[in-house]
Amino acid sequence: MMKITVIGCGYVGLVTAACLADFGHTVTGVDIDPAKIALLKKGTSPIYEKDLTPLITANIQRKRLFFQTSLESSIKDAEVVFIAVGTPSLRSGAADMEQVMAVAAGLAKYIKDYKVIVNKSTVPIGAGKQVRKIIQDRLGADIEFDVVSNPEFLREGYAVKDFKEPDRVVIGTDSPQAQRVMARVYEELIKKGIPYIQTNLESAELIKYASNAFLATKITFINEIANLCEAVGAEISTVARCMGLDTRIGPQFLAAGPGYGGSCFPKDTRALAHIGRTSGVPLTIVETVITANEEQKARMVRKIEDAVGSLQGKTLGLLGLAFKPGTDDLRESPAITIINKLLADDALIKAYDPQAMKEAEKVFGKTISYCVDPYTAAEGAEALVIITDWEEFRSLDFPQLRKVMASPTLIDLRNLFTPDEIKKHGFRYKSVGRG
Ligand code: NAD
């Protein structure tokens, strides 16, 4: 078993650290945020993610998982160092490499013997070589090290499962020594027969962006088909289901809705489009997907307006704020764009999310009201809008909602229900892509 350091204990770093410790490695998670490290040392996860907390506490108890703020002492004994810091968007759309480069500069100060530096952050093509150069320039030729790209494909809400049972593991490096080390890191997954692909740095870096952009395209495609359904009298659920039954297409990512969001798709599509532009190979499909996704969110606001008339002074109940169920992550959630547009039109927002209320307060402050359940959010509302498809919203008590709402209108931006079942309850119903 190996000694591993993971730098950055955000969504990806924390899941990586906890799962690698669970595979039997001794792992130290490092973060510059002392509050996060203090929580983690107590076994408390700073994020809501199914199955993560028990994994953290169990491996802390087994003395295989440690957390600290000091990079220097974490590097000394580590054979492998994962970089899992953020790569947010710059104004140009390019990925901001500041955090990754700061870590590279820090590593250069402390490396004293052979290490494998593994980039798990999603980075532009060529970033691995840049990391190598920063470290090499400071270290000189005496100390050997390798830089590997090992992109992460986990889905928030299923992060632990996805790390332990991934569709594939991608390892990008030309170094046979680094390949041998990485095969030991992922021995557990290789033994299970998980597809394990070794390629060069550049291909590994591109695989991540290409995969995310393709998924974002699939979502955007079905959203545009849903909009067409509304115009021509077709029904998106049936159209999508029958498309998905074609094994060449597949059923996933064909649920029409308010547009993609989250910590990855928006920034990764922008970054890939930027890479295309600067490489002289414009990625016109990706560029269009980005624009169409923005329009989809704006379209949702128009849908709400169509249902309630002028928004000024109207109370709206909103269900779901996280960018998808199973997480408290609000990064680039469609809910943010939709709420900001509704607030700009002077609507009064009462919101409920099963997990993301604390995160929502950081984003919206006192501009919206935070409710303890769907029924409190619905109280006095002219319409109830479902933005995130949390499972618990499927069992809403409609007679109870009718009693407390000013007007029984449901705007279901995730198509959780069918028009027939909602109309039975005496509600006006609007959804996405039902002509
Ligand atoms: P995050 O913002 O949740 O976490 C980043 C962490 O790095 C933070 O805790 C921050 O304090 C820490 N950090 C920043 N600079 C540091 C430094 N110099 N030393 C130590 N710690 C430092 O980000 P995330 O969502 O975990 O994403 C990390 C990377 O993984 C990104 O490139 C992202 O695109 C990629 N990714 C994310 C997901 C996802 O679902 N969130 C999935 C696949 C890939």
Side-chain angles (χ1 to χ4, degrees):
M1 286 300 151
M2 313 179 74
K3 289 211 164 111
I4 297 175
T5 290
V6 179
I7 305 172
C9 295
Y11 229 105
V12 165
L14 188 50
V15 171
T16 302
C19 291
L20 290 177
D22 213 54
F23 290 167
H25 302 302
T26 303
V27 184
T28 303
V30 179
D31 203 286
I32 43 170
D33 181 345
K36 206 172 258 191
I37 292 298
L39 275 179
L40 285 166
K41 278 185 164 167
K42 287 189 276 179
T44 309
S45 171
I47 51 171
Y48 171 76
E49 177 65 42
K50 207 170 35 177
D51 304 330
L52 184 56
T53 302
L55 209 62
I56 294 171
T57 35
N59 285 289
I60 289 178
Q61 274 164 15
R62 289 181 192 134
K63 302 212 178 310
R64 293 207 296 242
L65 183 57
F66 303 87
F67 293 100
Q68 61 183 57
T69 51
S70 160
L71 181 62
E72 183 174 4
S73 61
S74 77
I75 298 303
K76 204 168 148 272
D77 295 328
E79 300 163 78
V80 180
V81 181
F82 279 86
I83 303 177
V85 294
T87 46
S89 274
L90 290 169
R91 244 173 204 283
S92 62
D96 183 350
M97 291 296 292
E98 198 186 325
Q99 294 178 35
V100 174
M101 293 310 162
V103 172
L107 287 174
K109 280 198 252 169
Y110 306 125
I111 294 179
K112 302 270 186 279
D113 52 10
Y114 179 76
K115 311 269 181 227
V116 176
I117 319 285
V118 187
N119 210 344
K120 223 180 210 325
S121 297
T122 304
V123 291
I125 296 92
K129 289 222 165 107
Q130 272 174 273
V131 167
R132 167 149 210 106
K133 184 170 178 342
I134 289 181
I135 301 177
Q136 186 88 70
D137 285 352
R138 293 203 184 195
L139 282 186
D142 299 344
I143 302 171
E144 284 190 25
F145 67 97
D146 280 308
V147 177
V148 172
S149 168
N150 170 220
E152 181 51 55
F153 302 99
L154 64 78
R155 295 164 300 169
E156 294 187 10
Y158 302 91
V160 171
K161 182 175 181 299
D162 284 352
F163 193 96
K164 291 185 153 189
E165 297 161 38
D167 291 337
R168 75 296 208 190
V169 174
V170 175
I171 302 295
T173 176
D174 291 327
S175 155
Q177 188 174 1
Q179 283 172 355
R180 282 194 297 276
V181 171
M182 292 312 292
R184 282 171 57 216
V185 171
Y186 285 113
E187 197 184 343
E188 183 86 8
L189 299 182
I190 294 170
K191 273 196 305 206
K192 276 196 204 163
I194 304 284
Y196 185 82
I197 291 99
Q198 302 189 76
T199 180
N200 64 12
L201 259 174
E202 289 75 9
S203 303
E205 289 167 345
L206 184 52
I207 287 164
K208 173 64 190 174
Y209 277 126
S211 302
N212 271 4
F214 189 83
L215 294 172
T217 302
K218 209 172 169 193
I219 293 173
T220 307
F221 183 86
I222 206 65
N223 284 342
E224 289 209 323
I225 296 296
N227 300 343
L228 183 62
C229 283
E230 290 178 7
V232 300
E235 210 280 320
I236 190 62
S237 311
T238 312
V239 173
R241 182 162 170 262
C242 293
M243 284 172 63
L245 286 170
D246 184 327
T247 48
R248 294 168 302 175
I249 297 174
Q252 291 190 28
F253 284 74
L254 286 182
Y260 62 79
S263 67
C264 291
F265 288 0
K267 83 172 174 61
D268 291 351
T269 45
R270 287 192 294 264
L272 183 60
H274 185 270
I275 294 166
R277 287 195 297 274
T278 51
S279 309
V281 185
L283 300 171
T284 51
I285 293 175
V286 182
E287 301 272 7
T288 306
V289 163
I290 295 166
T291 316
N293 193 57
E294 286 309 308
E295 169 51 23
Q296 188 68 8
K297 292 184 262 181
R299 191 180 167 95
M300 297 302 111
V301 177
R302 292 199 297 276
K303 196 181 274 289
I304 297 169
E305 239 167 352
D306 284 350
V308 300
S310 158
L311 291 168
Q312 194 172 17
K314 295 263 168 71
T315 299
L316 299 171
L318 300 195
L319 300 187
L321 300 168
F323 84 94
K324 66 173 183 178
T327 176
D328 61 353
D329 200 336
L330 235 78
R331 288 180 280 183
E332 300 212 35
S333 170
I336 296 181
T337 318
I338 292 171
I339 290 177
N340 284 338
K341 288 206 165 98
L342 295 173
L343 288 174
D345 287 338
D346 291 328
L348 306 169
I349 307 293
K350 297 176 76 188
Y352 167 72
D353 185 287
Q355 292 297 338
M357 300 303 271
K358 241 168 64 191
E359 289 302 308
E361 273 197 75
K362 293 184 198 160
V363 176
F364 299 112
K366 294 192 190 323
T367 57
I368 66 171
S369 314
Y370 303 95
C371 302
V372 291
D373 59 35
Y375 308 95
T376 325
E379 232 166 61
E382 302 283 336
L384 191 62
V385 186
I386 297 176
I387 304 187
T388 316
D389 42 345
W390 283 97
E391 196 54 36
E392 68 172 68
F393 299 154
R394 288 182 198 272
S395 46
L396 285 171
D397 178 343
F398 284 99
Q400 174 64 16
L401 285 175
R402 245 197 108 153
K403 266 192 226 151
V404 297
M405 289 179 71
S407 154
T409 299
L410 182 70
I411 303 168
D412 178 2
L413 302 184
R414 295 288 182 173
N415 293 352
L416 280 188
F417 300 99
T418 61
D420 285 350
E421 62 184 316
I422 297 306
K423 280 183 189 145
K424 253 189 350 222
H425 292 293
F427 271 71
R428 282 176 69 224
Y429 181 66
K430 282 207 172 251
S431 51
V432 181
R434 272 97 171 237

